[in-house]
Structure formats: C-alpha cells, structure tokens
Amino acid sequence: SIVMGQLQQVEQVLSKRTRTMEEQVPLLQSRIAAEDKTNAQRLSELINDWEQNKPLIGNITPDQAIERLTKFEFNMKKAKIDQENLTKAKDALGLDAGVVSSDLSDCLDEIRDLTEVWEAVSKPYTALLDLKDSLWATAVMRKIRKALDDLLIDLRSLPNRIRQYDAYNTLYDEIKSLLAGHATLSDLKTDSLKERHWKSILQRLNVHVSFSELTIGMLWDNGLLDKKKDVAEVLSVAQGEMAIEIFLNQVRDKWMKEELDLVLYQNRVRLIRGWDDLFNALDDHTGGLVLMRSSPYYRAVREFQEDGNLWEDRLTKL
C-alpha cells in the first residue's frame, strides 16, 4: 500500500542518517576529546592566573580590586559553562565524563567572598581619600582627628569574616598609624612656621607644590610621620626664630609708641615722669639686642640682622 511504501522510505532515510551519524561518532569523539584537552589547559591557566593575581593584598584601590574580580568572575563563569557543555557532549557520545573538578566552583566562591570584602572597605577607603584631599591651609586638626577616629570605629564594626583579610588590615593599620602620628601633624599648625620653614619641610618630603596647593595627603603619603626628626629640627629653628621675632616686635612697639610724660617741677622746668622705668627698659632691650647677636637663629635671617642693628644703633644713641 501507499502507506507501507512511505513508511519504508522513512525507515530507509532514518537508517541512512543513523549510519551517517554512527560514522561521524568517532570524528566527533576525537573533536570533543581534543576540545576537552584544550579546555583543561585553558582552565588550568585561568586558575593559575587567579592564584597569582587575585586581589588579596591591600596595595591596590578597592575600585581596581573590584574591577579585577569582575573580570575573573566573568571568565570563571564562562569556563564553567564550557565545562558543563563538554560534560554533556561526552555523555551524549558515550565518552567517560570523568570526575568534574570543583576548582572553578571554589574559585567563584572565593571571588564572591573577596568582592564582599572590597566592597566593605570601599566606603572608608573613599572617606580617607577625601580626608587626604583636604587643603592643609584650611584643615582643622581637631576635625581631622575626629574623622580618623570615626573611620577606625567604622572598620571595627565590620564582621569578623571581613576583618580577617589583608585588604581590611592594610587600611586599618594605615588609619591607626595616621592617628598615632597625629601629634606630629598637629605640631605643624603653628604660626612659628614661615614660608622659608615650609620650603625646607617640603624639600625634605620631596613635595613640589606651592603652600596654597598643599594637602594633608601629600604630607602623609610622602613620609611625614617617618621623618619626625627632620620635622622636629625645622620646628626647633622656627621656634627659635619666632622668639627673636617677638623680641624685636616688642622693642619696636615699645620705642615707636613711647611718649615722654613731662611734669612741671617748681614751675621752672619740666621733668620726665618714670625716668627709672624708661632707663630700665632701655637697658633690658639694649642688652637683649647684644645677646641676640650670638644666636644662630639671629644670624640665619637677614631681616633680623637688619632690624637688630637698626634698633641697637637707635637705643645706644638714646
């Protein structure tokens, strides 16, 4: 019958296709085996790359770490899909699928953990950067100290699973170090430091910006807290020079504003009231100007020498 004839034709087509597929199986098997070998090599290289370059150490920024983790996660997920597809293909072709390694899954779990860590430290890290961008000229040390204290409190409030990672510890240790050295930073907020002193400090820190552009981060990041001795030397000089400047200002103010108080004596002559006090002040200032010449701080500043010589000459003539 017609139906039987068509059925036979279908069976013949199916039989032919089956034979063709069976003939192709060895080729497909060899291709899958080759792809499996290539995929295993790619997977090994990917995992090795991860072990070598996963962002554990806190010497990179959170943004850089998260970007690297995102790339690794994309490549790992793609590799996992390829691995699953190969397993299905081997099963369909009657090949031994073997034991599927859990390395990829383990890596993906670690990526998720590290992403959580870096996202947790991202906010305090950004807050510290903002603090470092504060201009030194307008910075208030009390507020800087409080901001560092608050950052440390925020970090301590993070879960233990976050606090065990180097990314956390690096940031925590940095903030703790900045707090420990805050006194050194605060010491620089003194009127005794003039432009010449700041020039010396910035040279020692290898910072090449104008004072108006100087930020707290430039001081911290260029080793201010590691050069306490150098800073102390400059501060000592500045304080010594400040003492001389104050003394010269006192001399100038005293004698520029001094007015003689004359009183009538026996309706015949006018005498100076407070003569003894006047001469005591004169002796004190003259002696101070003479002693000042032996100070190394006096000899180091030309303006001091000019003012000192001027007033010593004026007071001597009195």
Side-chain angles (χ1 to χ4, degrees), residues 277-289:
D277 293 340
L278 189 65
F279 268 85
N280 286 337
L282 182 63
D283 288 342
D284 289 343
H285 286 169
T286 303
L289 289 169

Side-chain angles (χ1 to χ4, degrees), residues 36-99:
D36 187 41
K37 185 176 180 180
T38 302
N39 186 69
Q41 179 63 29
R42 285 198 302 265
L43 185 58
S44 176
E45 292 173 355
L46 179 60
I47 292 176
N48 183 64
D49 185 23
W50 166 249
E51 292 298 331
Q52 295 294 324
N53 297 299
K54 56 185 172 182
L56 281 174
I57 303 175
N59 59 357
I60 59 175
T61 68
D63 286 346
Q64 291 173 331
I66 291 172
E67 180 182 3
R68 189 182 300 179
L69 287 166
T70 300
K71 290 179 179 178
F72 269 119
E73 184 178 26
F74 175 81
N75 292 332
M76 292 284 186
K77 286 182 175 179
K78 184 177 181 300
K80 189 173 184 180
I81 292 173
D82 291 342
Q83 187 182 58
E84 291 171 351
N85 288 338
L86 278 172
T87 299
K88 292 176 182 178
K90 287 190 288 185
D91 184 59
L93 293 172
L95 294 173
D96 182 15
V99 178

Side-chain angles (χ1 to χ4, degrees), residues 163-179:
R163 296 165 63 180
Q164 64 181 318
Y165 284 90
D166 187 73
Y168 169 91
N169 290 319
T170 298
L171 181 59
Y172 181 89
D173 291 344
E174 180 182 2
I175 295 174
K176 195 172 180 181
S177 174
L178 296 178
L179 276 170

Side-chain angles (χ1 to χ4, degrees), residues 12-201:
Q12 289 174 1
V13 170
L14 289 173
S15 177
K16 182 178 180 181
R17 289 185 177 180
T18 300
R19 286 196 303 273
T20 302
M21 289 180 63
E22 290 175 349
E23 291 171 358
Q24 293 294 322
V25 166
L27 178 60
L28 291 172
Q29 288 176 331
S30 64
R31 287 182 177 177
I32 291 298
E35 178 62 25
D36 187 41
K37 185 176 180 180
T38 302
N39 186 69
Q41 179 63 29
R42 285 198 302 265
L43 185 58
S44 176
E45 292 173 355
L46 179 60
I47 292 176
N48 183 64
D49 185 23
W50 166 249
E51 292 298 331
Q52 295 294 324
N53 297 299
K54 56 185 172 182
L56 281 174
I57 303 175
N59 59 357
I60 59 175
T61 68
D63 286 346
Q64 291 173 331
I66 291 172
E67 180 182 3
R68 189 182 300 179
L69 287 166
T70 300
K71 290 179 179 178
F72 269 119
E73 184 178 26
F74 175 81
N75 292 332
M76 292 284 186
K77 286 182 175 179
K78 184 177 181 300
K80 189 173 184 180
I81 292 173
D82 291 342
Q83 187 182 58
E84 291 171 351
N85 288 338
L86 278 172
T87 299
K88 292 176 182 178
K90 287 190 288 185
D91 184 59
L93 293 172
L95 294 173
D96 182 15
V99 178
V100 178
S101 173
S102 64
D103 290 347
L104 271 177
S105 296
D106 294 340
C107 289
L108 284 169
D109 289 341
E110 191 174 10
I111 287 173
R112 282 189 287 271
D113 291 341
L114 281 174
T115 300
E116 182 185 15
V117 171
W118 283 106
E119 287 178 346
V121 301
S122 179
K123 184 178 178 180
Y125 179 88
T126 302
L128 180 59
L129 286 185
D130 291 341
L131 202 59
K132 287 183 176 182
D133 286 338
S134 302
L135 288 174
W136 169 255
T138 57
V140 179
M141 292 299 97
R142 174 179 52 80
K143 293 182 178 180
I144 297 298
R145 173 63 191 245
K146 184 179 185 307
L148 290 172
D149 283 331
D150 290 344
L151 285 176
L152 213 57
I153 291 172
D154 289 343
L155 286 172
R156 286 170 177 163
S157 68
L158 293 175
N160 286 332
R161 66 178 182 277
I162 302 294
R163 296 165 63 180
Q164 64 181 318
Y165 284 90
D166 187 73
Y168 169 91
N169 290 319
T170 298
L171 181 59
Y172 181 89
D173 291 344
E174 180 182 2
I175 295 174
K176 195 172 180 181
S177 174
L178 296 178
L179 276 170
H182 187 70
T184 300
L185 190 71
S186 296
D187 287 343
L188 297 180
K189 278 289 183 179
T190 170
D191 293 336
S192 64
L193 286 175
K194 308 300 182 184
E195 182 179 353
R196 60 183 178 272
H197 305 125
W198 273 108
K199 183 177 179 180
S200 175
I201 290 173

Side-chain angles (χ1 to χ4, degrees), residues 198-214:
W198 273 108
K199 183 177 179 180
S200 175
I201 290 173
L202 295 182
Q203 283 178 343
R204 297 181 188 215
L205 296 178
N206 200 29
V207 175
H208 305 288
V209 297
S210 65
F211 182 77
S212 62
E213 298 174 316
L214 181 65

